[in-house]
Amino acid sequence: QQKNNAEGEQLMKQALDANPEQLAALQQLVNYYMFQKQPEKALAIVQQQIAKAPNNPTLYVALSTVQFAQKDVSGAMTSAEKAVQLNPSDPAALMAYTRAATLSGNVPTAISKWQAWSSAHPNNPQGPTMIATLEESRGNVNAAIDNYKKALAIQPDNPVAENNLAFLMLQNGQDVDMALSLAESARRS
């Protein structure tokens, strides 16, 4: 904030030297390098941290994000797969995987992963919401509607599910009053 970028960069590096899993410092450095249009430095710092802590799934999510920003879809997919392998319960890892799978045209695989995640986390609305979003992207409106409804059964005030379900209902000539009610609730949320 004081525009002393060189000192800030050094302090973040010191934090990472002291604790290779200091994720806040890593994220700050990655953001700084990406903002400075130095993605190779962002990539290098993440890879250095992975060498120090190779079993930390969050580091592979960070690597996938940098690779994705560099348009390295294959690398992003591999890194995200490693993150999911290390922690199958981590929704951030699965989101990184989904981003890479979607860009590479492999939406069915992402849906399959989210279905498995949803089975393991039946009380979390994020799974059905992501499945619905992915199904919607494939044009499978009925599956999207069903999954948004599943998300709302878990969390009745989920604004994303309410908004998206309202939109699909209106587009497909379904109950206008229900759609309006969902949209109003989403707006309040």
Side-chain angles (χ1 to χ4, degrees):
Q1 289 178 330
Q2 295 174 346
K3 307 286 190 248
N4 189 348
N5 295 339
E7 185 178 356
E9 181 181 6
Q10 280 309 111
L11 290 170
M12 294 296 176
K13 286 181 178 179
Q14 287 174 11
L16 287 174
D17 287 341
N19 180 0
E21 297 188 54
Q22 175 53 264
L23 301 175
L26 177 65
Q27 192 59 55
Q28 287 288 332
L29 272 173
V30 167
N31 290 344
Y32 172 70
Y33 291 141
M34 296 303 281
F35 181 75
Q36 295 293 322
K37 304 222 183 311
Q38 298 176 328
E40 66 286 341
K41 281 188 173 183
L43 188 63
I45 196 78
V46 173
Q47 289 171 331
Q48 288 171 8
Q49 297 317 111
I50 288 173
K52 294 175 186 175
N55 293 318
N56 184 326
T58 306
L59 295 176
Y60 290 95
V61 171
L63 180 60
S64 178
T65 300
V66 172
Q67 291 167 321
F68 188 78
Q70 291 183 296
K71 310 267 189 277
D72 177 6
V73 177
S74 175
M77 179 70 105
T78 300
S79 298
E81 284 175 337
K82 179 69 173 179
V84 170
Q85 174 190 357
L86 290 170
N87 186 359
S89 294
D90 182 9
L94 197 48
M95 287 298 293
Y97 178 87
T98 300
R99 188 172 45 242
T102 300
L103 193 62
S104 66
N106 200 352
V107 174
T109 302
I111 290 172
S112 176
K113 293 260 190 211
W114 277 107
Q115 287 169 334
W117 190 89
S118 291
S119 293
H121 303 89
N123 296 322
N124 190 319
Q126 187 173 5
T129 301
M130 282 304 304
I131 294 167
T133 303
L134 291 166
E135 289 288 8
E136 190 176 351
S137 76
R138 293 192 325 169
N140 193 345
V141 174
N142 291 332
I145 288 172
D146 290 345
N147 279 285
Y148 285 131
K149 286 180 179 179
K150 285 179 189 175
L152 291 173
I154 297 167
Q155 181 187 10
D157 61 345
N158 181 318
V160 173
E162 288 175 321
N163 179 72
N164 294 0
L165 178 56
F167 178 78
L168 287 177
M169 289 175 74
L170 285 174
Q171 281 212 316
N172 292 284
Q174 295 183 7
D175 188 344
V176 174
D177 292 332
M178 174 62 87
L180 178 60
S181 176
L182 287 166
E184 287 172 338
S185 178
R187 183 174 184 263
R188 282 190 302 274
S189 296

